[in-house]
Amino acid sequence: MNFEAHPLVIDSLEVPEFEKVPKHIAVIMDGNGRWAVERGLKRTEGHKAAETAIMDVIAGAVNAKVSELSLYAFSTENWSRPAQEVRFLMSYAHDLIHRRSEELHSWNVKINWCGRKNRLWKSVLREISFAEKLTKNNTGLMLNFCINYGGRAEIVDAVNDIILSGAKKVNEKTFASHLYSKNMQDVDLLIRSSGEQRTSNFLIWQSTYAELMFIDKFWPDIRRQDLWEAICEFGKRERRLGRLR
């Protein structure tokens, strides 16, 4: 399945000065289907339109010198969607990673996959593996593609991994070492598009003290300026992390 690629100039816009930049931003890319339905299009057209938003937000994160960006691309619950849409999403994930890996590599982005292998198409896993190997020595933004990911599933899988390891006692550090991405930083800022205000089983463990922001735009309409506005708002917030002022 072929999709049109849109080249992107990563430094085409003036980057604002930020008071404080979150090290790790997690994004729930919501609203593709509703964006399409509002325009009288098939839901799959909304997923196609999402690519420009994905690439522009990644570029914005690179511009802002964010250390880590996690994108919720396909959840473990998304398998319950109509079979035709699931097939499209798997094909699209394969094609997007295939076409964009070299471009992201040129941006010094390091690509990482986060999720369950179970049920995930082998063709998608192959493309992810290639992208990870291609970018493994890059020193810029760590980009986590969360495909076939669920926060509860990650915790259950970690517990089972710990049981198999024979561990008798577990603390937070050892538990975290059994999660999908062992070196993932805690999330500082979690953003969701489409106006919905919930975290939908995304990075439950890592987002315990994340600042939450909800943008009233469908994902295909999101651009790096929206990310920058969220970063500016993040800089105004006082993060006590359970401590007194």
Side-chain angles (χ1 to χ4, degrees):
M1 191 176 295
N2 294 318
F3 304 97
E4 184 181 358
H6 300 280
L8 187 68
V9 179
I10 192 167
D11 57 355
S12 60
L13 297 174
E14 184 177 349
V15 184
E17 291 186 9
F18 302 109
E19 183 176 338
K20 181 169 57 176
V21 176
K23 292 180 180 178
H24 184 186
I25 299 177
V27 181
I28 301 172
M29 304 181 293
D30 191 29
N32 296 340
R34 281 169 286 163
W35 180 92
V37 169
E38 280 194 357
R39 289 159 176 76
L41 304 171
K42 294 180 180 179
R43 286 176 56 84
T44 51
E45 293 301 313
H47 297 308
K48 290 181 187 179
E51 181 173 347
T52 300
I54 290 170
M55 295 302 294
D56 206 69
V57 165
I58 295 171
V62 172
N63 294 151
K65 295 181 171 54
V66 174
S67 298
E68 192 165 4
L69 177 68
S70 295
L71 301 179
Y72 205 7
F74 188 92
S75 77
T76 49
E77 289 74 33
N78 287 157
W79 295 106
S80 63
R81 291 189 177 189
Q84 183 179 4
E85 184 172 354
V86 170
R87 286 195 297 271
F88 176 88
L89 288 168
M90 286 293 104
S91 296
Y92 188 66
H94 166 276
D95 190 75
L96 186 147
I97 296 168
H98 178 76
R99 287 185 292 97
R100 295 296 193 173
S101 292
E102 293 284 354
E103 187 173 7
L104 292 170
H105 181 43
S106 72
W107 296 355
N108 196 30
V109 169
K110 185 173 183 177
I111 296 172
N112 177 54
W113 167 63
C114 189
R116 268 184 172 173
K117 285 187 177 180
N118 181 38
R119 299 185 74 179
L120 190 56
W121 284 15
K122 290 181 180 178
S123 59
V124 176
L125 285 170
R126 283 196 298 269
E127 287 300 332
I128 290 169
S129 179
F130 171 81
E132 287 179 332
K133 290 176 182 176
L134 175 69
T135 63
K136 67 179 181 179
N137 294 321
N138 288 349
T139 57
L141 175 74
M142 169 67 81
L143 175 63
N144 301 311
F145 277 121
C146 299
I147 306 173
N148 197 26
Y149 175 86
R152 288 182 175 181
E154 181 178 31
I155 290 170
V156 168
D157 288 349
V159 170
N160 285 322
D161 197 32
I162 290 167
I163 291 170
L164 289 173
S165 74
K168 302 298 182 182
K169 189 175 181 180
V170 178
N171 57 30
E172 289 188 12
K173 185 176 180 180
T174 56
F175 182 85
S177 72
H178 289 269
L179 296 173
Y180 295 148
S181 292
K182 299 171 180 57
N183 298 317
M184 182 181 285
Q185 303 176 84
D186 284 347
V187 175
D188 298 305
L189 172 61
L190 190 148
I191 299 169
R192 182 179 186 135
S193 60
S194 86
E196 299 290 346
Q197 298 189 15
R198 54 183 177 272
T199 58
S200 295
N201 197 24
F202 188 40
L203 298 177
I204 297 171
W205 178 272
Q206 300 89 341
S207 297
T208 303
Y209 281 105
E211 296 295 317
L212 307 180
M213 294 189 194
F214 304 101
I215 301 175
D216 196 19
K217 289 183 181 180
F218 294 134
W219 178 253
D221 292 326
I222 296 290
R223 293 295 181 268
R224 73 183 82 177
Q225 293 94 332
D226 298 295
L227 178 73
W228 293 345
E229 287 178 10
I231 293 173
C232 288
E233 172 61 27
F234 174 84
K236 298 175 185 177
R237 296 191 181 183
E238 182 182 4
R239 304 187 73 216
R240 295 194 292 273
L241 305 177
R243 300 184 297 266
L244 295 175
R245 294 190 180 194

